[in-house]
Amino acid sequence: MKTVLIASVAIVFATGLAGCREEEQDRPLHLDKGVYSGKADTKLTDDQRRELERRGQLQKF
């Protein structure tokens, strides 16, 4: 019985630590509806734009 209790406490402790990842700290918890609060998109280069246009042409039937 003591082993089961120790294992249960260890699992709860490990689960608690999993929620403390550094990349999850200081992130907004309340979001405004209709407002994008992420990083701004980067502009496509001319080469990237041409490649997307080429791939789009391949998809036309």
Side-chain angles (χ1 to χ4, degrees), residues 37-57:
S37 57
K39 296 178 184 176
D41 291 338
T42 57
K43 299 287 183 185
L44 293 176
T45 64
D46 289 338
D47 289 337
Q48 290 172 323
R49 189 176 312 277
R50 275 192 294 273
E51 178 62 19
L52 284 173
E53 289 173 358
R54 186 189 69 78
R55 289 172 55 192
Q57 290 297 323

Side-chain angles (χ1 to χ4, degrees), residues 1-53:
M1 186 69 177
K2 189 175 183 180
T3 306
V4 173
L5 179 62
I6 292 172
S8 298
V9 170
I11 290 172
V12 168
F13 184 72
T15 304
L17 285 179
C20 297
R21 291 182 289 194
E22 186 174 333
E23 65 268 9
E24 292 182 354
Q25 301 298 320
D26 299 324
R27 67 178 181 177
L29 298 178
H30 301 285
L31 303 175
D32 296 326
K33 185 175 182 179
V35 177
Y36 178 70
S37 57
K39 296 178 184 176
D41 291 338
T42 57
K43 299 287 183 185
L44 293 176
T45 64
D46 289 338
D47 289 337
Q48 290 172 323
R49 189 176 312 277
R50 275 192 294 273
E51 178 62 19
L52 284 173
E53 289 173 358

